[in-house]
């Protein structure tokens, strides 16, 4: 049964994250500041950015030497050639390129702009840096969930989120790129609607829905809200991986 309401709570006082920081400890401290304790069924949506920072995924651009391929791609897109080199290193290949838009397939299989490589809300004393996606966002989510569950005893779900554009629709939205403690897809096939019709193809991207809901608080600019607690949400329990959300190429009608 769908919940009558859910609560979205931005955890306060999350500091700038540095390589090696214990994100579970940071989150537990933020929960304590907010007077909250994790409960069974809670969902924590954590931005990819702080996970990548904690895992040391920042690359100083001054240390990058562009290849000929990167130089050509930089000329075609108007991007910094050092950045295009990093994007290529993080990619399986180019899906679409037009003007300054570069849609890549990441090494994880995600289709997104610039292979998820980002330069916003990142600074380093060494100079300009590019922040890469975690090496394995599902593994990152599992590690954080295990630490939080061990500390609190609560059976929770963790979602690592990132901001992606969508084909055929303007605007970006938060999506799940890593999950733990839940199955990312809610399979409704075989259930009946309110008029008795049996659903035959309905599979809901529940992890993406939760990530998008958290995005209302996370924001995209200077909000400084990298962790959101969702309480009261209905989601499929169990162990899953966000990569289950990826449509296999043989079933992709549009690539």
């Amino acid at each position: 049964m769908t919940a009558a309401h859910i609560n979205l709570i931005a955890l306060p006082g999350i500091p700038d994250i540095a390589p090696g920081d214990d994100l579970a400890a940071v989150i537990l401290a933020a929960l304590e500041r907010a007077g909250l304790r994790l409960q069974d069924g809670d969902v924590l949506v954590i931005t990819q950015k702080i996970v990548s920072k904690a895992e040391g995924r920042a690359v100083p651009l001054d240390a990058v030497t562009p290849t000929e391929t990167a130089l050509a791609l930089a000329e075609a897109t108007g991007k910094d050639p050092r950045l295009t080199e990093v994007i290529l290193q993080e990619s399986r290949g180019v899906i679409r390129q037009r003007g300054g838009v570069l849609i890549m397939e990441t090494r994880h299989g995600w289709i997104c702009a610039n292979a998820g490589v980002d330069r916003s809300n990142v600074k380093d004393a060494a100079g300009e840096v590019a922040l890469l996606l975690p090496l394995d966002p599902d593994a990152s989510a599992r590690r954080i969930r295990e630490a939080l569950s061990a500390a609190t005893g609560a059976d929770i779900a963790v979602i690592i989120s990132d901001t992606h554009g969508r084909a055929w629709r303007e605007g970006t939205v938060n999506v799940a790129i890593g999950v733990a403690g839940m199955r990312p897809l809610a399979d409704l096939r075989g259930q009946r609607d309110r008029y008795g019709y049996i659903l035959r193809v309905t599979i809901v991207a529940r992890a993406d829905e939760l990530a998008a809901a958290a995005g209302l608080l996370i924001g995209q600019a200077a909000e400084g809200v990298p962790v959101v607690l969702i309480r009261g949400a209905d989601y499929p329990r169990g162990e899953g991986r966000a990569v289950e959300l990826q449509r296999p190429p043989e079933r992709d009608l549009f690539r």
Side-chain angles (χ1 to χ4, degrees), residues 24-134:
V26 169
I27 291 168
L28 288 169
L31 288 164
E32 184 174 358
R33 280 192 296 272
L36 296 166
R37 290 183 60 85
L38 290 177
Q39 301 175 6
D40 290 350
D42 283 351
V43 181
L44 281 169
V45 179
I46 306 168
T47 62
Q48 159 270 321
K49 193 153 289 182
I50 67 168
V51 176
S52 292
K53 287 180 178 180
E55 295 181 358
R57 295 286 286 158
V59 174
L61 290 181
D62 286 346
V64 176
T65 302
T67 60
E68 290 298 323
T69 302
L71 290 169
L73 194 57
E75 185 176 357
T77 59
K79 296 183 184 297
D80 185 325
R82 301 170 301 172
L83 183 63
T84 56
E85 176 62 32
V86 175
I87 291 169
L88 287 170
Q89 290 178 8
E90 290 298 300
S91 304
R92 294 178 182 173
V94 179
I95 300 298
R96 294 286 188 275
Q97 185 269 312
R98 181 178 298 173
V101 177
L102 193 55
I103 306 300
M104 311 293 289
E105 180 177 6
T106 75
R107 293 186 299 167
H108 321 78
W110 303 113
I111 308 297
C112 59
N114 300 328
V117 176
D118 196 1
R119 294 173 69 179
S120 66
N121 283 314
V122 184
K123 67 176 182 177
D124 190 277
E128 293 181 285
V129 298
L131 194 65
L132 317 182
L133 296 180

Side-chain angles (χ1 to χ4, degrees), residues 184-249:
L185 296 165
D187 191 346
L188 306 185
R189 292 175 297 181
Q191 297 187 24
R192 293 181 181 274
D193 70 9
R194 61 188 301 181
Y195 300 107
Y197 177 77
I198 298 176
L199 303 180
R200 303 185 187 281
V201 296
T202 305
I203 300 175
V204 179
R206 190 69 78 213
D208 281 345
E209 290 184 325
L210 292 167
L216 294 169
L217 296 179
I218 290 170
Q220 300 297 326
E223 293 84 355
V225 178
V227 184
V228 171
L229 171 65
I230 302 180
R231 180 161 288 170
D234 180 40
Y235 60 89
R237 304 296 179 91
E239 286 305 319
R241 301 184 304 150
V243 292
E244 296 169 35
L245 292 159
Q246 296 172 4
R247 179 163 289 154

